[in-house]
Structures are given as C-alpha cells and as structure tokens.
C-alpha cells in the first residue's frame, strides 16, 4: 500500500520541483527585464544634455576703464571710457560624448568628463557707458574723436574679457557647471531608485588616483554596445 503511493508522490514532488525551478527562472528574468539600468538611464540623460547645446552656468558683471591718446599736427587728444558689461560662462554640451561618461559598477559611480568652460563675448551696457575727453581742438578739426572711440571700445571689450578670466570667477563657473551636470545625471538615477554617485570633473582636474579609476571603468558607449551584442546572440 505504501509502495503504491510512494511512486506517484515521488513523481509529483519531482514535478513540483521542476515547476518551482521554472517559476523562479521566469520570475528572475521578469524582474531583470524591469530592473533599472544605470547605463541606459545615463545614456538618455546624455542625449538630453547634448540637445541643450550651450549651457550658461554662470554670469558676472565687470567694469572696464580704458584710455587712448592720439597726436596729430602738433596737437593731442585723450579720451577715457568707463564701460560696464556682463559676461556669460558657458559649457558646450554638444562636445560631451559617450566616451566622456563612464560607469564603474564596483563603486556605483558615474564619472563625467566635462568640456572646458567657455567665456562668451562680453555684453556691453551701452546705456551706462561714461566717457571723459581732453583735446577738444584736435577732435573738432579732425576725426580724432572717432578714432579714440573705436580704440576705446576695442580696449574695453578686451579688458572685460580679461577680467572675466580671473581665477576666482573661473572657479565659481566650474563649480556651477559641475553642479548642473551632476544634477542632470543624478536626478534620473535617483528617480529610478538607484543609489548611484555622479562625479563630474574637468580634464585638468583629473589626478593620478582619478586617472586609475577612469582606466578601469568603462564608457557607457562600450557597455551599451556589449548589451546590444548579447541581445543579438
């Protein structure tokens, strides 16, 4: 009697084991198909950033004071120009390539090497320009005043651009660029439930330790290419 039921029970147990294994396998594949992929999310974020083209990350106002002197027919004239203006600090996101974005699975870190900060042409506040001149006779008899104005405008714009390159302002612009780029990547990752870190930096800031980590991590282009290859197989 016991032997009569033993064989069916063994068969039923085996069937249940097989069904359980198949269920676990299918469930694992189902869960993995819906698991958030940091590389795919980073790739989508990169595409969104590139579509923005130039990103203004910082702006500042400056004042340029320049003086030009001309001499003709034994006379001289001098004119001083005070030129206020503003300068935009930009990042050309179109230069951000998939090779510049790398994912390190070990540390769960997305490293982004950003394009350098670019300073836009100064925007002059024409309504606030002030000028002072000395040499009315020469300016009345010749076109010296136009010559002085042209020279001062060129000097003024050059001086505004020079002031914009001072180390403090450049550091503030880089810090703003880092925050903007890191947020653009980290927010979608966090929204997908991924606890990932984003490290945005400029090429000249990469030290030996960061260089080693960069070498072992892989660009999202390579990772996505491998995924496509595995899918095809």
């Amino acid at each position: 009697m016991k032997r009569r039921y033993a064989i069916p029970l063994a068969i039923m147990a085996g069937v249940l084991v097989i069904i359980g294994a198949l269920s676990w396998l299918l469930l694992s594949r189902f869960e993995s198909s819906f698991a958030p992929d940091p590389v795919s999310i980073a790739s989508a974020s990169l595409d969104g950033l590139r579509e923005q083209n130039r990103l203004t990350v910082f702006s500042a106002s400056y004042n340029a004071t320049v003086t030009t002197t001309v001499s003709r027919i034994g006379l001289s004239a001098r004119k001083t120009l005070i030129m206020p203006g503003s300068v935009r600090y930009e990042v050309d996101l179109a230069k951000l390539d998939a090779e510049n974005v790398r994912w390190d699975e070990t540390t769960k870190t997305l490293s982004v090497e950003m394009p350098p900060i670019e300073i836009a042409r100064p925007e002059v506040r024409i309504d606030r320009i002030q000028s002072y001149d000395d040499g009315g006779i020469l300016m009345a008899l010749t076109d010296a005043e136009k010559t002085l104005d042209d020279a001062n405008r060129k000097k003024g714009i050059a001086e505004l651009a020079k002031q914009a390159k001072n180390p403090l302002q450049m550091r503030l612009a880089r810090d703003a660029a880092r925050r903007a780029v890191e947020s653009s990547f980290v927010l979608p990752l966090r929204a997908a439930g991924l606890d990932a870190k984003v490290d945005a930096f400029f090429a000249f800031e990469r030290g030996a330790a960061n260089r080693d980590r960069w070498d072992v991590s892989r660009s999202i282009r390579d990772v996505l290419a491998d995924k496509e290859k595995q899918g095809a197989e």
Side-chain angles (χ1 to χ4, degrees):
M1 189 73 176
K2 292 182 179 179
R3 294 184 61 184
R4 181 186 304 175
Y5 292 104
I7 296 176
L9 287 174
I11 295 174
M12 183 177 297
V15 171
L16 291 175
V17 170
I18 294 174
I19 292 175
L22 290 175
S23 299
W24 177 84
L25 180 61
L26 291 173
L27 181 60
S28 298
R29 290 186 176 183
F30 179 80
E31 289 179 346
S32 63
S33 65
F34 287 94
D37 179 17
V39 174
S40 299
I41 295 172
S43 179
S45 299
L46 174 62
D47 292 339
L49 277 175
R50 286 174 55 84
E51 290 178 359
Q52 295 183 42
N53 292 322
R54 303 188 72 85
L55 174 66
T56 298
V57 296
F58 187 67
S59 64
S61 298
Y62 303 97
N63 277 292
T65 301
V66 294
T67 300
T68 302
T69 301
V70 296
S71 298
R72 295 179 186 173
I73 59 176
L75 300 172
S76 64
R78 182 177 60 184
K79 198 164 187 178
T80 297
L81 187 70
I82 301 176
M83 176 187 288
S86 60
V87 177
R88 299 191 314 276
Y89 297 77
E90 302 176 341
V91 174
D92 188 356
L93 296 175
K95 296 179 180 178
L96 187 62
D97 190 74
E99 289 295 327
N100 304 121
V101 182
R102 292 174 176 256
W103 172 250
D104 190 330
E105 180 64 28
T106 303
T107 61
K108 305 297 181 183
T109 300
L110 188 73
S111 299
V112 184
E113 181 178 355
M114 296 182 293
I117 293 290
E118 298 180 13
I119 298 176
R121 180 180 174 83
E123 297 179 357
V124 178
R125 297 290 302 273
I126 298 176
D127 58 321
R128 295 179 58 187
I129 289 179
Q130 302 178 46
S131 61
Y132 306 91
D133 61 74
D134 180 18
I137 297 177
L138 183 60
M139 288 190 289
L141 298 176
T142 67
D143 63 347
E145 184 170 17
K146 182 179 182 305
T147 301
L148 291 170
D149 287 340
D150 291 344
N152 276 339
R153 276 194 292 270
K154 291 180 181 179
K155 287 182 179 180
I157 291 174
E159 176 62 22
L160 290 173
K162 179 181 178 182
Q163 292 180 22
K165 294 179 182 178
N166 75 78
L168 174 59
Q169 300 298 80
M170 291 298 295
R171 180 172 62 81
L172 292 174
R174 293 189 186 104
D175 289 344
R178 270 189 289 270
R179 289 193 298 269
V181 171
E182 287 177 355
S183 295
S184 296
F185 282 100
V186 77
L187 291 178
L189 290 170
R190 297 282 170 80
L194 294 170
D195 185 17
K197 177 184 176 183
V198 178
D199 178 25
F201 61 93
F202 296 92
F204 76 93
E205 297 174 323
R206 185 169 52 188
N210 200 1
R211 190 187 307 276
D212 292 340
R213 175 56 58 189
W214 183 263
D215 290 339
V216 300
S217 58
R218 304 182 63 205
S219 70
I220 60 173
R221 173 179 293 168
D222 292 341
V223 176
L224 290 175
D226 286 349
K227 289 180 180 295
E228 292 180 359
K229 183 178 180 181
Q230 292 173 2
E233 294 175 352

